[in-house]
Amino acid sequence: MYKTDLEIAQEAKLLPIGEIAKKVGMDISDLELYGNYKAKIPFEVMKRNETKKDGKLILVTAINPTKAGEGKSTTTVGLGDALNRIGKKTMIALREPSLGPVFGLKGGAAGGGYAQVVPMEDLNLHFTGDMHAITTANNLISACLDNHIHQGNELHIDIHNVTWKRCLDMNDRNLRQIEIGLGSKANGVERKDGFNITVASEVMAVLCLADDLMDLKERLSKMLIAYNTDGKPLYVKDLGIEGALAMVLKDAIKPNLVQTLENNPVIVHGGPFANIAHGCNSITATKACLKLADYTVTEAGFGADLGAEKFLDIKCRFGGLHPNAVVIVATIRALKQHGGVAFENLKEENVEAMLEGCANLAKHIDTIRQFHLPYIIAINEFASDTPKEVEALQDWCTQHQHPMSLSQVWAKGGEGAIDLAEKVAELCEQENSYAPIYDVEASIEHKIKTIARVCYGASDVVFTPEAQAQIQTYNELGWDKMPICMAKTPTSLTDQDKIYGAPKDFAITVRELRPSLGAGFIVALTGNVLTMPGLPKVPAANHMDIDAEGHSKGLF
């Protein structure tokens, strides 16, 4: 009987966070402590190291995820531990988990098995309060906006054209569309509103793309909140509250230091969803790792079509980052599902279906190649994988000249990725000509079509009349010269969540665009992607409990 991730984490022997800091040249006096095992890194420490040469940057991405699970975070953690085992001073940079998925279906984001980040319970629950600060800042904007309307509306805000939504870090479909201000006039002005999940809010994206506190304040001031009755855009700065927002976020913008089960340093900071927002941990976290360590292993959410594309087209562009290597995680179980096997039959050997599903892996490899980056496939091993399936996948990689490594980090921790670590370190020594796949000066349509063609394999993009009208407006307002952040289902290369594999001759439909002016990109919503998820029929919360001593159960 295997131990659960939570049981493994609860048995871990954690080192005081000051000892973890020493491994990368920091002292306990450099940290802002949140108990014995968590700390924030102040900006003074990061500024002190800004003249140091950057270490190597390794991105971990994956094929399109399935319910079978790919283990991208687990691979990221295990690879970081393995690099440290072979003598490479390495840090890991991850996103913070959202409470919505934790209590919903997906679970947490601290890795799994013996490749985890700890303290696992803290990470997956309230951690250092960053999510709450982001939620508060977002909702302060909503409160001040509605108060301004109630108090006389000097800005002439059009209550039918308010673009800003409230947010909550929870999956709650009932909040997608709401009516507020009901009842007496004392309750405010009646209007329609809605909620996003916190990790889809622009405040989250802004925090993760800001260089420092003052840059954060400037970006917050630029966020679009509404249009006035003359159709002119209004921003946070028109409410005059950007200083208050930055004050609320003054601690949240500082990266959080924790550790792996093998007591290696990890920065966990920020958590934008990759199917809606840009899906990467903060620029400040990544840059801190690059200065403190010789190697940084980071991940981007979901597959290469979403997280990796946004990491390479948005985050690296804004942060001036140059990746050295990419790890593409694949599992035999997921490849079988992409090859047409039903979820309940994935444990049965099926070499033919697995090889059919390799078309999905091949498309993600092609995407990374379009960015001119060296890569390696990490086959994340599961207990149900058979020797024939493993051999067949290894042969497929050899036949197509794709470097690969069998990863066993879930069962063995860093020891299970020594081969992967050695090969990744070799890749990092190669020269590469990384570049984003589009010019930000190109038209909105051209940028979207480039992403759809290059990263999804789409043959066409269809813009709804609403999207076409928005593009015309954005062109007139000068908002067209920004990167594009695609909002799309993560489970398929298409915009339809049940189409697996690598389909051909399909179109992507862009139904709506949203300007994230503080973040500095335009969000293009495709298919039926939602910015406020719902809970499944039986949420993970139903299986969670706590005992009299405060020990959690059922958290994963």
Side-chain angles (χ1 to χ4, degrees), residues 3-14 37-38 74 77 94-99 102 106-128 258-261 268 410 544 551-556:
K3 293 179 181 178
T4 66
D5 292 348
L6 179 58
E7 288 169 340
I8 292 169
Q10 288 174 336
E11 293 173 0
K13 291 180 169 48
L14 279 67
Y37 308 113
K38 300 174 290 184
T74 303
V77 176
L94 296 174
R95 292 175 296 161
E96 298 180 46
S98 163
L99 288 174
V102 166
K106 184 176 179 291
Y114 289 90
Q116 289 192 62
V117 180
V118 283
M120 183 262 219
E121 293 171 68
D122 292 13
L123 277 167
N124 284 318
L125 296 175
H126 304 285
F127 199 26
T128 57
V258 283
Q259 62 189 288
T260 69
L261 290 175
V268 179
W410 189 90
M544 296 178 184
H551 300 127
S552 300
K553 299 176 183 177
L555 191 64
F556 66 98

Side-chain angles (χ1 to χ4, degrees), residues 346-364:
L346 291 179
K347 290 185 178 180
E348 298 175 11
E349 182 177 274
N350 194 328
V351 171
E352 184 178 347
M354 182 199 68
L355 292 175
E356 185 76 19
C358 283
N360 185 269
L361 172 56
K363 181 66 203 77
H364 290 292

Side-chain angles (χ1 to χ4, degrees), residues 72-110:
K72 183 157 44 58
S73 297
T74 303
T75 302
T76 302
V77 176
L79 174 58
D81 282 337
L83 283 164
N84 277 300
R85 279 176 177 250
I86 65 171
K88 310 292 186 182
K89 187 167 77 169
T90 302
M91 291 188 73
I92 301 163
L94 296 174
R95 292 175 296 161
E96 298 180 46
S98 163
L99 288 174
V102 166
F103 292 121
L105 178 65
K106 184 176 179 291

